[in-house]
Amino acid sequence: MGRRRRRVDRGAAVGALPEAIAALSRTLPAGPSPEIFRRAKFDRPEAAPALWQLLFRVLSPLSANGASAPAAQEAQVRVVKSELHSQGYPRRALAQLPEDGSRGSRELLLALAWLLARGPLLERLLAQTRVRLGDEIPLCECEALARPGPPVPRVEADGPVDIRQLQWLMGKLRFQWRKLITSQQEQCALLGKMLRRLESENVRLEAALHWRRQELVFWRWMDTVLGTCPPEASQPTFVPRIPERGAGEWELVARELQALREELRGAAEPRRAAWEARVGGWGPEWSAVQRASREAVGLELAALQRAWERGGAAAQPHGPCRLVKSDAGASGGPGLRAAQVIEVLRSREACLEAVLCQLQRQCRQELARLAGALPGLIWILPPGR
Amino acid sequence: MSIVTVQLGQCGNQIGFEVFDALYSDSHCPQGLCSKRENEVYQASCKERFFSEEENGGMCGQSIHCPLLFSDITNLFKAKSSMCYSVHGPRHEESIMNLIQKEVEKCDCLSGFFIIMSMAGGTGSGLGAFVTQNLQDHYSNSLKMNQIIWPYGTGEVIVQNYNSILTLSHLYRSSDALLVHENDAVHKICAKLMNIKQISFTDINQVLAHQLGSVFQPTYSMEGSYHYRRNPLGELMENLVPHPEFKMLGIRNIPQMSENSLAYSTFTWAGLLKHLRQMLISNSKMEEGIDWQVRPPLSGLPTLGKVSLNRELHFNTSIANLVILRGKDVHSADLGGFKDPALYTSWLAPVNAFNVWKTQRAFSKYEKSAALVSNSQFLLKPLDTIVGKAWNMFASKAYIHQYTKFGIEEEDFLDSFTLLEQVVASYCNL
């Protein structure tokens, strides 16, 4: 009885493992196929390049415009090794792998598992590459106030109106309409693009959820992978958490840091003195510039301090804010609550409505004056009003 | 926002090539006199407007080529233009519009079309008029600017005046703006300013390309901003040609010289703008040989009196002007001279009639350069001359059969004459 149950269990597990690995792969950038993972367990060399690339993509910081030029194999290997070392990866065998990226698939697999176990790697990667929907609103007024509005075309106050002037204005209006239609077409095209990117992001998110449900299978398998490794001398056990260090270690580190700091200061001071000596010879206008910039910085700092003191914790953040759903009970982190944002937006809406009404009134007055100035002229309004 | 270029005829194709070459070279020129980051933004803006990426990663100008359809250029009696308009246009309509559709689909956002063509030649003129009409039907919301090459005064083709008036009148109905380049003027620039001894079409086309580049390369979107403007074609049209009767535009630019002389010259904005203003007022095409005697008339005269006085003084009245400044210390340039109401018609004040675009980034190795796009009376005389000559030929029914053979009737001629006479009268009465 027991034996049969065990066989059924093993059968289910065998199917679930490739599924779990495939889900993991879909979540990761440049994720290799489950077959690569299987070969890596047996340290097959053909699995190495794919795993080097995967680790490179996972560890290298995302450049500003997303896709960076594909790095050479040696460069990838070096980046992966240095990143893992700086994060405290314990196994020395990885550091000893050749730079041409031809070997070491099992070590790479272990490194990947170590990264996954340490912290929220997948969540971080997904957040880095999420689709930007443009759903951010700036709450501070700085940029809006700095930008003046477009100049209003002025019509002469008195005298007869030349019909050519009216035709000119009508022509301008027609061009504005066409610009508006073109902008709307552009908006449609961009929305289509965004939908496609959202769809592919959804696929990754679903894969991530699937992985979370199945990951236990993967970890059990990783134990077997570790089991196939030859025993390393003085190798600590494969523990996902960094083991506690004694207080003495910290003191050593602190002293080393202090020494470094002294060294840096010793190197920087003469350089700064030399630069100031050189700058001092640039004449009075430079010191005036220096003074001016110091004053400006002081003013800005004072303004910031005032704003902070006035608003306290609820100071309006600079720059755009995004709408994020959080649990009802969660305490306020950085940013504002939805109610406050709604308040701000409502007051701004009221302001803009008032300005719109005023401008419409001005236009109506202008039109009435023009219509009065040309008797015998018939005004035909556009449809839909 | 992107511009798709349609290059028609031998003339159109050769010019188109030079234009893309000039745009590309300028945007990749290392002597931009600005920071690396600004240069990258400038490059990106230019690329977005005129180029699309190929699969192999290279850049390709967003354009369609319709080269010469006939090889028979020896027969001067063939009214190729009419044939292109009535026969070959419709026959190839589908394939031409398909090509255009493909380019349009590559653009995220289509701002409009450049159609480069000659006015008096064979393929360019007839096909140009036909294609522009088709664009009007299929892409009515997109802007269309026709770059027209005005023929030499001493004509090349015997029926060039007929071709010109037919083409112009058709374009006036279906295009938004007609940017006219006069062959005579460009030829003089090559001879006098660039000191070229044997002037080839390549030289002429390069000057034209330089002029176009100095207008359409990126500029800051507004005073004090460092973002490049997204839709120069749209803004140019809105500022210069909203009136349906006044669609003719001309370009002047300064300085214009050979590369060898460039290294030894320095300029001030005051000097450049003074010359440019006088070039506008006296209807001069280049910075040499300007007539400094022509002066703006005194203000305060009644409108009618002003018109006849201006005609006597050979003063070029403007409807609207757009000045584009590129280079060092561009924010210090003083444009007061262009805001003088005496330069403009009475019914449009300088605040509405005059616009300026600026960028610090130098254009094509010129430390400072200025361009002027003008809707003014500059083309009045040449247009009047062509209409007059065409009318004389028409009155004696010369060569009409070459056109009626392909379905262009005498009524079409009469319609064209009427429209162009109206245009001449409108510009005359500014």
Side-chain angles (χ1 to χ4, degrees):
Chain A
M1 257 307 172
R3 246 195 305 156
R4 211 184 302 146
R5 209 185 302 133
R6 223 177 305 133
R7 223 178 298 141
V8 164
D9 278 350
R10 211 183 311 131
V14 162
L17 179 63
E19 234 185 85
I21 294 182
L24 175 64
S25 227
R26 281 201 299 276
T27 320
L28 292 168
S33 65
E35 181 59 23
I36 300 276
F37 281 78
R38 190 187 71 81
R39 297 211 183 151
K41 172 175 176 180
F42 302 106
D43 206 18
R44 307 296 311 218
E46 62 263 20
L51 287 172
W52 278 117
Q53 197 182 30
L54 171 63
L55 281 173
F56 177 71
R57 289 290 295 272
V58 162
L59 289 168
S60 61
L62 221 63
S63 55
N65 45 354
S68 43
Q73 187 69 42
E74 289 91 40
Q76 284 187 0
V77 168
R78 260 180 271 132
V79 167
V80 169
K81 282 189 188 177
S82 72
E83 270 298 318
L84 282 172
H85 181 75
S86 66
Q87 294 197 24
Y89 185 61
R91 285 179 74 86
R92 256 174 256 124
L94 188 121
Q96 291 158 357
L97 287 174
E99 294 229 328
D100 62 352
S102 58
R103 280 195 302 123
S105 49
R106 185 163 53 209
E107 284 300 325
L108 294 171
L109 183 57
L110 289 172
L112 177 68
W114 183 81
L115 286 169
L116 274 172
R118 278 184 84 221
L121 176 71
L122 291 182
E123 283 77 1
R124 183 171 57 82
L125 288 171
L126 287 170
Q128 259 177 357
T129 54
R130 70 177 164 80
V131 173
R132 301 227 136 67
L133 292 169
D135 56 353
E136 295 157 0
I137 5 164
L139 283 179
C140 64
E141 301 268 313
C142 314
E143 255 196 55
L145 290 171
R147 220 183 310 131
V152 179
R154 290 256 148 270
V155 192
E156 277 149 21
D158 41 36
V161 174
D162 195 317
I163 191 162
R164 289 177 290 186
Q165 192 179 23
L166 289 175
Q167 288 171 317
W168 181 270
L169 292 171
M170 279 298 295
K172 278 188 104 130
L173 201 61
R174 254 181 254 123
F175 273 123
Q176 305 271 18
W177 273 116
R178 284 161 85 177
K179 258 203 306 197
L180 189 64
I181 294 179
T182 317
S183 305
Q184 286 181 331
Q185 284 173 338
E186 184 188 19
Q187 198 181 35
C188 285
L190 290 174
L191 276 173
K193 260 195 188 172
M194 205 182 282
L195 267 172
R196 282 190 289 274
R197 287 178 67 184
L198 279 174
E199 272 169 11
S200 58
E201 192 185 48
N202 273 347
V203 165
R204 279 182 77 194
L205 289 171
E206 275 172 9
L209 284 174
H210 192 68
W211 156 255
R212 281 282 166 240
R213 285 194 291 269
Q214 307 261 18
E215 62 178 308
L216 205 52
V217 173
F218 176 78
W219 293 117
R220 275 195 228 129
W221 179 70
M222 279 310 300
D223 278 336
T224 68
V225 172
L226 198 56
T228 64
C229 280
E232 267 196 20
S234 67
Q235 185 70 29
T237 49
F238 187 76
V239 182
R241 256 172 257 296
I242 303 173
E244 310 272 335
R245 302 250 182 226
E249 299 263 347
W250 286 119
E251 270 195 39
L252 190 65
V253 170
R255 251 180 282 139
E256 282 187 13
L257 276 175
Q258 186 75 4
L260 252 169
R261 197 204 230 160
E262 293 296 337
E263 216 182 296
L264 268 172
R265 203 179 296 165
E269 286 290 349
R271 278 205 204 174
R272 187 196 293 272
W275 183 81
E276 287 203 348
R278 210 178 52 172
V279 152
W282 281 4
E285 56 184 35
W286 175 246
S287 55
V289 168
Q290 259 188 316
R291 227 180 307 126
S293 41
R294 244 184 257 138
E295 274 175 21
V297 167
L299 281 171
E300 281 205 23
L301 280 174
L304 263 174
Q305 187 142 7
R306 275 199 302 274
W308 180 254
E309 284 165 2
R310 205 189 313 131
Q316 286 201 350
H318 257 263
C321 311
R322 236 185 108 228
L323 193 63
V324 163
K325 197 171 177 196
S326 68
D327 299 325
S331 58
L336 314 170
R337 308 209 67 99
Q340 289 164 298
V341 178
I342 293 174
E343 280 268 348
V344 172
L345 287 174
R346 277 223 183 100
S347 69
R348 208 182 293 165
E349 186 188 18
C351 278
L352 288 172
E353 282 252 22
V355 173
L356 178 66
C357 281
Q358 192 193 17
L359 286 172
Q360 279 177 334
R361 210 182 330 123
Q362 278 179 351
C363 283
R364 248 178 268 132
Q365 284 172 349
E366 202 56 52
L367 270 175
R369 190 184 71 78
L370 291 173
L374 283 165
L377 194 68
I378 306 172
W379 294 91
I380 304 173
L381 291 168
R385 265 274 164 186
Chain B
M1 294 178 96
S2 312
I3 296 176
V4 170
T5 309
V6 183
Q7 300 164 203
L8 300 170
Q10 187 180 29
C11 173
N13 273 294
Q14 289 171 344
I15 293 175
F17 170 78
E18 295 295 346
V19 168
F20 283 110
D21 194 50
L23 291 171
Y24 188 83
S25 322
D26 171 56
S27 67
H28 285 82
C29 177
Q31 292 146 295
L33 297 181
C34 63
S35 66
K36 181 163 173 255
R37 196 169 170 281
E38 170 146 9
N39 215 28
E40 282 169 9
V41 179
Y42 183 89
Q43 248 183 45
S45 180
C46 171
K47 176 175 171 236
E48 193 232 341
R49 197 158 311 122
F50 290 106
F51 297 91
S52 56
E53 266 200 51
E54 299 270 87
E55 279 126 23
N56 58 3
M59 292 218 296
C60 174
Q62 283 166 184
S63 73
I64 293 114
H65 315 245
C66 293
L68 206 56
L69 289 181
F70 317 103
S71 50
D72 184 4
I73 35 179
T74 53
N75 191 344
L76 291 171
F77 290 107
K78 231 189 192 137
K80 295 183 294 208
S81 175
S82 62
M83 225 181 134
C84 283
Y85 183 81
S86 322
V87 175
H88 289 274
R91 195 183 291 167
H92 298 273
E93 178 183 349
E94 210 185 304
S95 45
I96 294 176
M97 296 314 286
N98 276 341
L99 278 174
I100 294 179
Q101 173 77 9
K102 262 205 225 128
E103 281 300 326
V104 167
E105 274 165 14
K106 281 193 219 166
C107 307
D108 271 341
C109 180
L110 179 68
S111 154
F113 298 95
F114 273 170
I115 301 124
I116 310 184
M117 52 189 272
S118 70
M119 199 172 70
T123 318
S125 56
L127 201 55
F130 181 78
V131 168
T132 310
Q133 222 163 296
N134 260 291
L135 288 176
Q136 172 80 320
D137 296 332
H138 289 97
Y139 299 96
S140 46
N141 286 319
S142 304
L143 306 167
K144 293 166 278 296
M145 174 176 275
N146 288 66
Q147 315 266 354
I148 302 176
I149 311 304
W150 198 270
Y152 284 105
T154 58
E156 304 143 21
V157 175
I158 214 163
V159 289
Q160 72 176 35
N161 294 320
Y162 280 164
N163 288 346
S164 303
I165 58 131
L166 287 171
T167 307
L168 256 184
S169 60
H170 278 105
L171 287 179
Y172 229 90
R173 287 183 215 122
S174 46
S175 180
D176 295 309
L178 308 177
L179 186 55
V180 176
H181 305 275
E182 294 172 80
N183 258 348
D184 286 320
V186 180
H187 193 101
K188 256 197 239 156
I189 292 179
C190 287
K192 296 262 176 65
L193 297 181
M194 316 279 286
N195 284 320
I196 302 173
K197 297 289 180 285
Q198 308 269 42
I199 300 174
S200 66
F201 276 121
T202 313
D203 300 312
I204 294 193
N205 294 342
Q206 280 176 348
V207 171
L208 283 175
H210 180 92
Q211 287 184 333
L212 280 177
S214 68
V215 172
F216 287 104
Q217 283 291 58
T219 48
Y220 297 141
S221 59
M222 55 177 125
E223 195 71 49
S225 159
Y226 287 93
H227 293 291
Y228 285 114
R229 112 189 317 120
R230 291 202 68 219
N231 189 5
L233 188 60
E235 290 190 41
L236 186 149
M237 293 211 185
E238 204 187 307
N239 291 330
L240 295 178
V241 290
H243 198 298
E245 276 173 20
F246 302 104
K247 288 186 183 175
M248 317 266 272
L249 298 172
I251 293 189
R252 311 261 191 291
N253 70 334
I254 187 173
Q256 185 97 346
M257 54 180 52
S258 62
E259 262 193 54
N260 311 332
S261 324
L262 198 52
Y264 305 106
S265 321
T266 48
F267 304 97
T268 60
W269 284 119
L272 288 174
L273 291 173
K274 188 161 163 227
H275 278 76
L276 194 61
R277 181 174 182 269
Q278 194 61 24
M279 278 161 74
L280 169 67
I281 297 175
S282 64
N283 198 6
S284 167
K285 313 289 192 271
M286 55 180 192
E287 65 239 50
E288 238 179 74
I290 301 177
D291 182 358
W292 290 94
Q293 297 305 317
V294 179
R295 288 236 186 287
L298 303 159
S299 52
L301 282 175
T303 322
L304 232 58
K306 190 176 173 195
V307 167
S308 55
L309 188 62
N310 286 351
R311 232 176 294 172
E312 275 177 38
L313 296 173
H314 305 290
F315 176 76
N316 185 33
T317 311
S318 307
I319 303 173
N321 288 315
L322 170 66
V323 166
I324 300 136
L325 302 175
R326 298 176 187 275
K328 199 165 146 205
D329 301 327
V330 76
H331 296 294
S332 67
D334 175 23
L335 289 144
F338 283 94
K339 297 183 187 165
D340 182 358
L343 262 56
Y344 300 97
T345 68
S346 51
W347 47 271
L348 207 57
V351 66
N352 299 321
F354 176 68
N355 290 276
V356 60
W357 292 354
K358 295 183 186 169
T359 176
Q360 239 164 250
R361 206 262 192 199
F363 175 66
S364 197
K365 299 184 199 159
Y366 284 88
E367 187 199 57
K368 296 188 176 85
S369 64
L372 168 70
V373 186
S374 172
N375 189 351
S376 65
Q377 293 174 318
F378 81 104
L379 210 55
L380 189 49
K381 263 251 224 67
L383 181 60
D384 205 22
T385 314
I386 283 195
V387 173
K389 284 192 192 160
W391 180 254
N392 287 336
M393 282 175 75
F394 184 71
S396 50
K397 302 279 192 273
Y399 303 108
I400 297 291
H401 60 280
Q402 295 285 346
Y403 291 84
T404 51
K405 201 158 67 171
F406 296 110
I408 300 180
E409 300 301 334
E410 290 189 15
E411 281 91 58
D412 299 313
F413 275 88
L414 288 172
D415 285 340
S416 303
F417 281 119
T418 316
L419 190 148
L420 290 177
E421 290 283 0
Q422 177 64 40
V423 171
V424 168
S426 305
Y427 271 103
C428 221
N429 289 326
L430 281 181

